Amino acid sequence: VQLQASGGGSVQPGGSLRLSCVASGFTLGDYAVAWFRQAPGKEREAVSCIDTSDETPYYYYTESVKGRFTLSRDNAKNSVYLQMNNLKPEDTAVYYCIQDLDCNRLATLVPFGQGTLVTVSS
């Protein structure tokens, strides 16, 4: 059972990246998936969450990324994606993904793994 985040890199302000969260050993489509980030010297922050278990999909975005970040999922690829547009220096952080039953416990989830580093700098 493994969840791997990838797709980070270095971009200039205004640039875009697409992060991938790929699962192995279990069906990611059965779960909600949350993205967190942690910048140096700052607390971990819940960035977004997708839950498609109900007829109406649920999406959560923290206020600072609304309109710039978009979640999607491809169950055939056992993956969830975070499209990040118009990136800002304050988006610089290590990004992690984690699965859970729903998006209601973002305050208590603790992502693990290596994460993927996003650096936004001119």
Side-chain angles (χ1 to χ4, degrees), residues 22-100:
V22 182
S24 57
F26 68 101
T27 302
L28 192 59
D30 292 341
Y31 296 88
V33 176
W35 285 93
F36 287 78
R37 66 185 178 187
Q38 187 160 21
K42 294 188 177 180
E43 292 187 355
R44 184 178 59 248
E45 175 186 26
V47 176
S48 62
C49 189
I50 179 171
D51 184 354
T52 54
S53 60
D54 292 334
E55 290 186 2
T56 303
Y58 171 79
Y59 300 88
Y60 164 80
Y61 299 96
T62 193
E63 192 64 34
S64 63
V65 308
K66 285 182 179 177
R68 300 189 297 121
F69 290 13
T70 304
L71 282 163
S72 63
R73 70 190 316 162
D74 185 338
N75 290 337
K77 295 183 178 180
N78 220 21
S79 300
V80 167
Y81 305 102
L82 183 64
Q83 178 67 43
M84 306 187 298
N85 297 329
N86 190 22
L87 283 161
K88 303 178 180 181
E90 51 264 42
D91 295 317
T92 295
V94 177
Y95 285 70
Y96 304 86
C97 60
I98 186 171
Q99 82 281 6
D100 201 14

Side-chain angles (χ1 to χ4, degrees), residues 9-15 87-92 118-122:
S10 295
V11 296
Q12 294 185 341
L87 283 161
K88 303 178 180 181
E90 51 264 42
D91 295 317
T92 295
V118 172
T119 303
V120 185
S121 173
S122 56

